[in-house]
Amino acid sequence: SGGASDLPHVERKQPTVPHEFKLLSHEMGKHRKEMFETQVKRQQMEERAHRFKAQPAKAIEIDGFQVKKSTAPLTEAAPIHLNTDLRSKERQAFDKRVQEEQARKEEEQRILDEQRAAEEAEELKEKRRQLVHKAQPVHHYRNVELKPSDRPLTEPESPAFALKRSRSLR
């Protein structure tokens, strides 16, 4: 009593097998991933196509170019005549002329200034001389005769300052 055989036989059920959900976002993600991978592959192919592929340098291996020595005579150096020497002498002469001209103009200006100062001093002297007061002689005119007036004297009247109006208001 109490054994395993007394119990009724129970069938064993199969365990639940999980299935993957089919969501629209999963399919879109797979599609985008595939597109990205194809784009990356395409870019890699383009980069390979654009890489520089040089051919091996065959000119190094061939001994084809040799420098030939010249048979022309060597060039001899001639003395150099620069135009700067002549130009500097011309410039010195020009500077000297300009300096003399400037000195002449300054001398003329100095002489003009001295003449102008002398003229102004003379004018000032003349004005001062004219400003000195000199006595004038007394003029003699006709004597003035005083005649008595023919008109009668004025009779004084008191002014009527609004007295009429003030009287009428009372």
Side-chain angles (χ1 to χ4, degrees), residues 67-82:
V67 178
K68 203 188 317 183
K69 294 202 175 194
S70 175
T71 57
L74 295 176
T75 307
E76 291 191 24
I80 298 172
H81 298 289
L82 296 177

Side-chain angles (χ1 to χ4, degrees), residues 134-159:
K134 294 180 183 171
Q136 298 291 322
V138 174
H139 295 290
H140 295 286
Y141 300 104
R142 287 186 310 158
N143 286 341
V144 178
E145 292 180 25
L146 298 176
K147 294 188 223 174
S149 175
D150 298 340
R151 296 176 67 190
L153 292 176
T154 306
E155 292 292 325
E157 281 182 29
S158 177

Side-chain angles (χ1 to χ4, degrees), residues 13-54:
K13 292 186 177 179
Q14 292 291 329
T16 306
V17 179
H19 292 289
E20 197 173 315
F21 291 108
K22 286 197 171 191
L23 296 176
L24 184 62
S25 61
H26 288 207
E27 290 179 23
M28 288 173 60
K30 285 180 187 177
H31 179 67
R32 284 189 182 157
K33 186 176 179 182
E34 290 172 3
M35 293 293 287
F36 178 73
E37 289 173 356
T38 56
Q39 188 176 2
V40 168
K41 285 180 184 176
R42 189 177 336 115
Q43 285 179 353
Q44 288 174 351
M45 298 264 301
E46 286 177 5
E47 285 178 10
R48 280 192 219 119
H50 289 303
R51 273 198 202 127
F52 178 73
K53 299 173 202 156

